[in-house]
């Protein structure tokens, strides 16, 4: 099976006073490796922050609030979604365009589809 990797841009949501350059979108890597774990996706944030979350949780969170514990996902209006990551160092709140996450999820399901062999 093939690995799906998609580069995206997202906004880190914070209540800190930011200068204009810090308000721009940051690069994020969405990754799915069915050989590693067919039920999980990885979200790579700038720096060395990478989170593993259930693919089903990401999908559910695009329709309604989902998750508990370390990762929570919910729709934000009609075109955006929020992914919230909790750790001992604090909370990271990342805002994506929903269509970016949907496109990625579609690609992961295509990657896991087994070809029919005779």
């Amino acid at each position: 099976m093939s690995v799906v990797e998609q580069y995206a841009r997202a906004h880190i949501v914070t209540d800190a006073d930011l200068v204009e350059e810090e308000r721009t979108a940051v690069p994020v890597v969405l990754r799915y490796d069915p050989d590693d774990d067919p039920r999980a996706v990885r979200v790579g944030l700038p720096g060395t922050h990478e989170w593993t979350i259930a693919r089903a949780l990401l999908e559910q969170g695009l329709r309604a609030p989902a998750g508990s514990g370390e990762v929570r996902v919910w729709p934000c209006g009609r075109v955006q979604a929020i992914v919230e990551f909790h750790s001992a160092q604090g909370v990271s709140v990342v805002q994506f365009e929903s269509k970016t996450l949907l496109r990625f999820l579609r690609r992961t399901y295509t990657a896991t589809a087994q070809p029919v062999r005779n």
Side-chain angles (χ1 to χ4, degrees), residues 3-81:
V3 172
V4 174
E5 194 167 88
Q6 181 174 316
Y7 295 88
R9 304 216 32 96
H11 292 275
I12 305 296
V13 179
T14 179
D15 61 356
D17 290 331
L18 299 177
V19 293
E20 190 58 36
E21 303 86 57
E22 293 173 323
R23 294 182 195 273
T24 61
V26 297
V28 176
V29 179
L30 304 170
R31 190 174 199 320
Y32 173 71
D33 185 349
D35 292 331
D36 183 38
D37 185 349
R39 295 176 309 246
V41 296
R42 296 183 183 277
V43 178
L45 300 176
T48 59
H49 300 94
E50 183 175 83
W51 292 85
T52 300
I53 64 174
R55 184 169 59 161
L57 170 64
L58 183 58
E59 186 174 7
Q60 291 167 0
L62 292 174
R63 293 187 302 270
S68 62
E70 292 184 347
V71 180
R72 297 175 185 148
V73 183
W74 66 90
C76 179
R78 295 190 306 180
V79 297
Q80 297 175 336

Side-chain angles (χ1 to χ4, degrees), residues 53-105:
I53 64 174
R55 184 169 59 161
L57 170 64
L58 183 58
E59 186 174 7
Q60 291 167 0
L62 292 174
R63 293 187 302 270
S68 62
E70 292 184 347
V71 180
R72 297 175 185 148
V73 183
W74 66 90
C76 179
R78 295 190 306 180
V79 297
Q80 297 175 336
I82 302 292
V83 182
E84 184 177 271
F85 302 101
H86 294 255
S87 72
Q89 291 77 33
V91 178
S92 295
V93 180
V94 184
Q95 183 177 14
F96 289 91
E97 286 190 19
S98 298
K99 67 181 179 182
T100 299
L101 298 176
L102 284 169
R103 184 177 326 123
F104 172 68
L105 284 169

